[in-house]
Amino acid sequence: VDLMKRAGVNVVALFSPEHGFAGVEDHDNIGNATDPATGIRIWSLYGKTLRPTAKMLTGLDVLVLDIQDIGVRFYTYESTMLYAMEEAAKAKIPFYVLDRPNPLTGTHVEGPMLDSGKLSFVGAFPLPLRHGLTIGELAKLENGENRLHAALHVVEMAGWNRADWIDETGLPWVNPSPNIRNPVEALLYPGIGMLEYSTDYSVGRGTDTPFGHVGAEWMRGVDLAAYLNARDIPGVRCQPATFTPVSSNLSGKTIEGVEFEVTDRNVFSSSRLGLELAMALGRLYPGRMKWE
């Protein structure tokens, strides 16, 4: 916002996705606000509405999206982009996307496609688990496949190599959301996040390393680590761990589980780890996970 204003752009409204305009809020029903630095109104797209309304778009010449995605199907920033582009198309407002790197590279694509009958805010477009696209490429795909006819303009990056991981780009790491705090957690997220809807099970939210470990009151870390390591899953090793989440599932309870060490990210498959973990939990602890 500061750079746009300094360049002479008349910024008249701001919009915030799931984690708020600063990317640090971690709760439902985020309300509208005012940017303290500029006094500009911030419309929440993660509160009473998930889409920009006609009122929010009134008087806008263009709508600009500039956000760091992580290249995973169930990441709501992607859904917010699609919904905003749909509404911009209806209102005949040009939609600009300032492209950014895919932190997990643009060459690794894996996992099953989302069934078209299962679309929701946590999966608004049929994609594989890791899709290998930049946010700008995804916008082009959605605009074309869904025939939105949006006046889409993608401001492309200079100097990005598709094979680059985010730490190879020279760009500083900024947490895209509160529980993705480094490139390793971003890589583990699509696999570990598969199972986190089960409420008596922790994926490390409320600890210093979310998605870096899993645990539950009914879990024995030594057994689970031995089982997973015996599976010889490429690019990752597990070791027993004990941790106490301070928020989210099992808050305040000391639980056993395993922590994950990615040993080779170029051969590691997030979806393979997620499926192996699901199989292990089903076999070692039958009836414990809420698979629905």
Side-chain angles (χ1 to χ4, degrees):
V1 176
D2 294 338
L3 290 172
M4 293 179 79
K5 287 177 66 65
R6 201 176 304 159
V9 177
N10 182 24
V11 183
V12 296
L14 304 174
F15 297 84
S16 64
E18 176 176 350
H19 295 290
F21 189 64
V24 298
E25 298 187 56
D26 197 19
H27 57 86
D28 294 332
N29 299 316
I30 295 175
N32 298 328
T34 300
D35 178 29
T38 62
I40 301 172
R41 181 70 175 271
I42 301 174
W43 297 105
S44 173
L45 301 181
Y46 193 70
K48 293 181 179 179
T49 179
L50 301 176
R51 297 171 173 270
T53 64
K55 178 182 177 181
M56 295 176 185
L57 296 176
T58 298
L60 300 191
D61 297 315
V62 298
L63 190 57
V64 180
L65 182 131
D66 179 23
I67 197 165
Q68 180 62 64
D69 180 40
I70 64 167
V72 179
R73 182 179 69 218
F74 47 82
Y75 205 64
T76 63
Y77 293 169
E78 295 177 4
S79 305
T80 297
M81 179 186 71
L82 176 58
Y83 293 176
M85 185 163 54
E86 289 174 343
E87 298 308 314
K90 293 175 186 175
K92 301 192 182 314
I93 297 173
F95 191 73
Y96 280 75
V97 176
L98 310 186
D99 210 3
R100 288 172 176 249
N102 184 322
L104 306 182
T105 81
T107 56
H108 289 78
V109 178
E110 60 166 279
M113 291 286 286
L114 177 64
D115 295 339
S116 58
K118 298 290 186 183
L119 298 178
S120 72
F121 186 59
V122 290
F125 186 81
L127 292 168
L129 194 66
R130 283 172 63 185
H131 52 68
L133 301 173
T134 69
I135 195 78
E137 291 168 341
L138 180 57
K140 290 180 179 180
L141 177 66
E142 293 174 338
N143 190 36
E145 291 293 314
N146 288 358
R147 295 177 172 83
L148 302 182
H149 305 293
L152 173 63
H153 305 268
V154 176
V155 181
E156 297 182 355
M157 295 175 284
W160 184 58
N161 184 318
R162 295 203 74 84
D164 283 347
W165 297 85
I166 191 66
D167 56 8
E168 295 173 327
T169 64
L171 297 172
W173 175 267
V174 177
N175 295 347
S177 56
N179 288 293
I180 303 292
R181 302 175 188 172
N182 57 58
V184 175
E185 290 175 7
L187 179 59
L188 288 167
Y189 171 74
I192 304 305
M194 282 191 213
L195 307 178
E196 72 165 311
Y197 197 75
S198 188
T199 53
D200 60 349
Y201 166 78
S202 171
V203 295
R205 290 182 186 268
T207 74
D208 291 337
T209 53
F211 304 106
H213 49 215
V214 299
E217 291 181 283
W218 38 263
M219 197 178 289
R220 274 190 46 81
V222 171
D223 295 341
L224 182 56
Y227 181 100
L228 290 171
N229 287 331
R231 294 291 298 163
D232 198 21
I233 307 167
V236 66
R237 294 286 295 172
C238 309
Q239 62 183 21
T242 300
F243 59 96
T244 308
V246 296
S247 62
S248 193
N249 293 354
L250 306 178
S251 177
K253 297 181 179 179
T254 300
I255 54 178
E256 284 190 45
V258 297
E259 63 182 16
F260 304 100
E261 177 190 3
V262 176
T263 57
D264 186 343
R265 62 187 177 182
N266 288 305
V267 301
F268 172 73
S269 165
S270 305
S271 53
R272 168 77 183 269
L273 175 62
L275 292 170
E276 291 279 8
L277 179 60
M279 182 64 74
L281 296 175
R283 286 185 170 175
L284 295 178
Y285 312 105
R288 294 289 193 174
M289 290 292 287
K290 297 178 180 179
W291 297 114
E292 68 276 11

